[in-house]
Amino acid sequence: MERDVAWKNYDEAALDELETLAADYIDFISENKTERECATAAIAAAEDAGYDSLADLIAAGTPVGPGAKVWACAQGKAVILVHVGAAPLSEGMNILGAHIDSPRLDIKQNPLYEANDFALLDTHYYGGIKNYQWTALPLSLHGVVATTDGTVVEVNVGDDAGDPVFCVTDLLPHLGAQQMDKKGSKVVEGEDLDLLVGNRPLVSTADSPNSKEVEDDKAPKDPVKAHVLALLADKYGITEEDFLSAELEAVPAGRARDLGLDRSMVIGYGQDDRVCAYTSLAAQLALGDDIPARTAVCVLVDKEEIGSVGASGMASMFFENTIAEIMALAGEEGALALRRALTRSRMLSSDVSAGFDPAYASVFEAKNSAYLGRGLVFNKYTGARGKSGSNDASAEYVAQLRRIMDDAHVSFQTAELGRVDAGGGGTIAYIPAKYGMDVIDSGVPVLSMHSPWEVTSKADIYEARRGYEAFLRA
């Protein structure tokens, strides 16, 4: 039952394809570090591949039929791509569903303050993180600031070579005896994850010829904070009040990189779940102008890391409403037709799996673990303890997927999330399963999941891309 490493199956042509895909993937996760950036990149790629805006089609009353390619977006943070197949939509769809949000530090609405000659931004962590991993690490700021005049200002500081970066400070070991006695969850408290953004005051004309000079009688109470605000006003035209309507995320600065002397792996931020989002998107676009037997769908959603809630999460009506609109344009309007389409659909919940790590072998059960380099992972169920919170795929569906992967010569493996009672977790799988469709978790194994720098295997990325396309075409 042990699966062999995928690397043994590749000839030179396959290795060239693998490296090309990995290079594109590294570019994608290096250039798109937020859900907004991923959604924008996905739409741009879709439009280059001939996809039309659903909103435009609805406005024009344009009908759709086999071969039509349509995209829809929710609040700039979630995207659905639909490639209409030969069969009526009411006969079901083949769906890939991944998420494009990742753990990070969100900037609070009232964040900027000065303490002991430092300017800092107060943060609220997003998703499941180990707080201590986010200290003494170069961070960049990405996001948007919406002003009251209707302007939306994009912010991206820290990832270009000439940019400054930011950090959360840590305590020196010489004074860290009490800190080191704490539990790991308490070594760094959530409220202590404040971003260091400045140390230079806005000085008076008597003190300096600095271009940010002020008169002595107008010297600000918090001069370092004032200097930061002056810089923000100059570069972005925003004020302190504008933080109230901002979505700013602190994420690890720097590009993803090849990992290992053999360059067999990728290390980078946000691979949970952008490694599956990227490969799902690539597989969807690889259909080109072919007309699939069943309608092919790629769903890239937000908010999975905090329960799939909100208007851009999988639990919203975005997915269902989008399919209903497309079915109406295809002449299949009606609640019953929609219910039939959803029930008869098949889905891969494209999300990462915990890769077996020999440094932490005690929390894994070796026979039922995912290994880097052995291909696409299928998790029949996730959950915790007695499979609590799990979507448990049917045996018949698993057998069907085995046949699809075998016919396409895709390397795959099966796994659970660690030893029984060692922990657990979940994905979006249980949400679309409520429609009665077949759903299973399927993705790429990851080391150091939810850390600032996660690790994947290029072979698994390649097999995921191949496996996802085979599923869409089935």
Side-chain angles (χ1 to χ4, degrees), residues 4-6 9-10 374-376 409-413 463 466:
D4 208 351
V5 295
N9 301 326
Y10 302 146
R374 297 188 186 180
L376 179 63
H409 305 291
V410 173
S411 294
F412 72 93
Q413 53 185 316
E463 294 302 323
R466 296 179 63 244

Side-chain angles (χ1 to χ4, degrees), residues 61-367:
T62 305
V64 303
K69 295 186 284 189
V70 184
W71 68 264
C73 184
Q75 298 194 341
K77 305 176 194 176
V79 178
I80 295 175
L81 307 184
V82 178
H83 190 147
V84 181
L89 279 89
S90 58
E91 293 186 11
M93 300 160 282
N94 290 352
I95 306 166
L96 299 172
H99 67 92
I100 50 178
D101 61 315
S102 293
R104 59 184 189 253
L105 303 180
D106 281 345
I107 307 304
K108 290 184 178 181
Q109 284 184 287
N110 185 10
L112 185 61
Y113 68 98
E114 181 173 330
N116 303 102
D117 302 327
F118 292 113
L120 301 106
L121 288 173
D122 205 354
T123 73
H124 192 140
Y125 65 85
Y126 174 96
I129 68 169
K130 294 179 178 178
N131 295 352
Y132 64 81
Q133 292 181 331
W134 289 76
T135 64
L137 178 75
L139 299 172
S140 57
L141 270 179
H142 293 242
V144 298
V145 179
T147 62
T148 54
D149 66 1
T151 302
V152 177
V153 182
E154 292 188 10
V155 176
N156 187 333
V157 184
D159 276 302
D160 286 342
D163 282 353
V165 294
F166 315 96
C167 77
V168 176
T169 59
D170 198 2
L171 182 63
L172 67 162
H174 311 71
L175 301 177
Q178 290 184 344
Q179 182 192 51
M180 296 302 290
D181 286 339
K182 295 180 180 180
K183 291 175 57 179
S185 60
K186 299 295 184 180
V187 169
V188 178
E189 299 281 358
E191 279 292 353
D192 295 332
L193 292 171
D194 291 353
L195 209 62
L196 183 60
V197 298
N199 180 229
R200 180 178 176 179
L202 187 64
V203 298
S204 69
T205 53
D207 294 328
S208 172
N210 187 339
S211 61
K212 299 297 177 192
E213 60 192 19
V214 295
E215 297 296 336
D216 282 324
D217 60 350
K218 297 179 181 178
K221 175 184 176 183
D222 296 317
V224 181
K225 173 183 174 180
H227 192 202
V228 169
L229 287 171
L231 292 170
L232 290 173
D234 277 356
K235 184 172 178 63
Y236 296 109
I238 59 177
T239 67
E240 185 173 11
E241 284 281 321
D242 291 326
F243 279 115
L244 294 174
S245 50
E247 291 181 1
L248 296 173
E249 305 173 13
V251 298
R255 288 181 57 80
R257 305 277 295 275
D258 285 350
L259 179 67
L261 290 173
D262 55 5
R263 296 180 175 268
S264 61
M265 295 167 284
V266 175
I267 184 168
Y269 165 68
Q271 297 199 74
D272 175 11
D273 182 39
R274 292 173 190 141
V275 65
C276 296
Y278 169 82
T279 46
S280 295
L281 175 64
Q284 178 82 12
L285 300 183
L287 299 178
D289 292 327
D290 296 346
I291 299 177
R294 287 160 57 96
T295 293
V297 181
C298 175
V299 181
L300 306 177
V301 290
D302 182 25
K303 300 292 190 291
E304 190 275 346
E305 297 294 356
I306 58 170
S308 296
V309 295
S312 53
M314 191 68 203
S316 74
M317 296 294 291
F318 173 49
F319 168 68
E320 185 176 329
N321 289 347
T322 297
I323 300 304
E325 292 283 7
I326 292 174
M327 291 187 70
L329 293 176
E332 298 184 61
E333 189 170 5
L336 183 58
L338 174 63
R339 298 300 169 199
R340 287 172 175 167
L342 296 172
T343 299
R344 294 167 178 171
S345 292
R346 301 187 289 262
M347 183 176 186
L348 298 185
S349 171
S350 310
D351 207 343
V352 295
S353 187
F356 183 92
D357 189 337
Y360 305 99
S362 63
V363 298
F364 294 93
E365 194 271 286
K367 299 190 310 302

Side-chain angles (χ1 to χ4, degrees), residues 48-76:
D48 286 345
Y51 279 72
D52 295 312
S53 163
L54 175 60
D56 291 346
L57 294 177
I58 293 172
T62 305
V64 303
K69 295 186 284 189
V70 184
W71 68 264
C73 184
Q75 298 194 341

Side-chain angles (χ1 to χ4, degrees), residues 365-424:
E365 194 271 286
K367 299 190 310 302
N368 291 286
S369 293
Y371 293 83
L372 266 67
R374 297 188 186 180
L376 179 63
V377 183
F378 289 98
N379 291 91
K380 187 176 184 293
Y381 46 83
T382 53
R385 300 176 300 280
K387 300 184 182 180
S388 176
S390 169
N391 168 70
D392 197 340
S394 72
E396 293 86 352
Y397 186 42
V398 175
Q400 184 180 26
L401 292 170
R402 287 174 56 201
R403 182 176 67 251
I404 292 171
M405 298 302 131
D406 286 344
D407 288 348
H409 305 291
V410 173
S411 294
F412 72 93
Q413 53 185 316
T414 60
E416 294 187 25
L417 184 57
R419 295 177 65 88
V420 175
D421 291 335

